[in-house]
Amino acid sequence: MSSPGASVRVAAAGGGGVPHHARDPAAPLSCASVDALRHEMELLIRDATLFRAQKEEYDIKISGQLEDLVVLQKNFSELDKVFNAARARFEGEIAQLQREIDAASGPVKQSVEPSPGGPSELGPPPLLT
């Protein structure tokens, strides 16, 4: 009577219906084994070729995207320079106009004395047309 582990040991030792020459590493490979290896190698070569083509395609796409990023960075830099120049020019013009307004108005004088009742007695402000 054999134990349950005995069949595992026989299979691990190379028994169980496997021809003796297949268990011996020095024995020549059978045609089926060679054909299976050839088929596996062909699959691996096909996959490697496919992966190489995909890698090259992705490398081209990434290179194009990096070039696009460089162009965008250059455009943003130029836009920033134009914006800062326009901002400085407008701030200078605003400051000049403010000085002209201050110089033209002189000291502020109130032409109408406030009435004792407050501003509500003056009436509505005039409409500008």
Side-chain angles (χ1 to χ4, degrees):
M1 183 171 180
S2 65
S3 67
S7 62
V8 173
R9 283 192 297 273
V10 170
V18 178
H20 182 268
H21 69 277
R23 287 180 277 151
D24 184 10
L29 296 173
S30 69
C31 288
S33 298
V34 172
D35 288 340
L37 286 173
R38 181 177 294 123
H39 178 69
E40 190 65 29
M41 283 300 296
E42 288 170 355
L43 291 176
L44 289 172
I45 290 170
R46 187 192 66 192
D47 288 346
T49 303
L50 176 67
F51 293 147
R52 187 176 298 117
Q54 287 177 341
K55 179 193 174 291
E56 290 172 1
E57 180 183 340
Y58 290 138
D59 285 343
I60 291 169
K61 287 180 180 181
I62 289 172
S63 295
Q65 290 175 345
L66 288 174
E67 290 172 7
D68 290 346
L69 285 174
V70 168
V71 169
L72 283 173
Q73 185 178 19
K74 181 181 174 187
N75 288 343
F76 280 130
S77 177
E78 291 174 7
L79 184 62
D80 190 45
K81 287 177 186 177
V82 169
F83 170 76
N84 288 332
R87 182 177 181 181
R89 186 178 71 241
F90 289 134
E91 285 177 349
E93 288 179 16
I94 290 170
Q96 177 64 30
L97 291 171
Q98 187 65 42
R99 285 191 298 272
E100 289 176 13
I101 289 171
D102 291 343
S105 64
V108 178
K109 295 181 182 177
Q110 210 170 19
S111 61
V112 178
E113 294 291 326
S115 60
S120 62
E121 295 181 6
L122 292 176
L127 295 176
L128 298 176
T129 55

